[in-house]
Amino acid sequence: MFGKNKKMGEITYIASGCNINGETEFTGNALVGGSLFGKVHSEQQITIEPEGLIHGELCCHELKVAGVFKGKLKCERLVITGTGSVEGEVASKSMEIFDGGQFVGVRVKDEVNLLQKLNNKNNTNKNNTLSEIELQPQ
C-alpha cells in the first residue's frame, strides 16, 4: 500500500487442546496454544503461548517462547520469556532470555562458519607441524 508491499499471510492460531503431527508450514505469523509435533516451517514469527508446545524441527524467522519448545531450531532471533522453556539444539543469530526463562541445550551462532573455523584450525595445526619438522636442521 505504501510502496513496501511485503507479502504476508494471515495469522494462524493453533488453539489449546489441538494436537498436530507431521509437517506444518505457515505463510504468515503463527500463535501456538496447542501442540505441534514434527517439522514446522515459517518465513515469519512463531509464538508459543504459555500452554503451547512444539516438539521436533523448527525453522522460522523469529521464535518467541512462553510455553515449551523441544528439538532442533534454526531462526534469526529467539526470545524466551519468563515462562518459556527451550530444550535442544539452537542455531540463531540473536537470543534473548528473560528472567525465569530456561534454555537447556546447545547454541551455535552460525553453523557453517563454526564448522569452517574448526576445519581451518585443524589444517593450520597440521601445516605448522609439517613446517616445523621440515625447517629443523639435521
Side-chain angles (χ1 to χ4, degrees):
M1 181 165 118
F2 294 100
K4 294 184 180 181
N5 197 6
K6 190 172 183 180
K7 195 172 188 176
M8 290 179 58
E10 295 183 15
I11 295 175
T12 302
Y13 182 65
I14 308 298
S16 180
C18 290
N19 292 314
I20 298 175
N21 293 302
E23 288 191 34
T24 308
E25 184 170 341
F26 301 107
T27 57
N29 293 339
L31 296 171
V32 179
S35 300
L36 292 176
F37 299 94
K39 292 184 179 183
V40 181
H41 183 269
S42 175
E43 296 292 324
Q44 303 297 321
Q45 181 185 49
I46 294 180
T47 301
I48 303 174
E49 295 185 329
E51 299 298 318
L53 165 71
I54 294 180
H55 191 279
E57 295 179 18
L58 173 58
C59 181
C60 63
H61 179 72
E62 182 177 336
L63 177 64
K64 183 176 180 183
V65 183
V68 177
F69 173 81
K70 292 183 179 183
K72 294 182 180 183
L73 170 65
K74 182 176 181 182
C75 64
E76 293 290 317
R77 184 166 188 260
L78 170 62
V79 177
I80 304 172
T81 67
T83 60
S85 174
V86 173
E87 185 178 324
E89 298 175 32
V90 175
S92 68
K93 292 184 180 179
S94 170
M95 185 171 174
E96 184 175 2
I97 304 173
F98 287 87
D99 191 26
Q102 295 183 3
F103 174 67
V104 179
V106 178
R107 177 188 178 227
V108 291
K109 190 169 184 179
D110 190 1
E111 296 170 298
V112 177
N113 286 340
L114 177 65
L115 293 176
Q116 288 174 349
K117 286 179 186 176
L118 288 175
N119 287 335
N120 288 340
K121 184 177 179 183
N122 288 338
N123 289 336
T124 302
N125 288 340
K126 287 178 186 175
N127 290 339
N128 287 344
T129 304
L130 291 175
S131 298
E132 289 172 10
I133 292 170
E134 292 172 6
L135 295 176
Q136 290 178 355
Q138 294 183 5

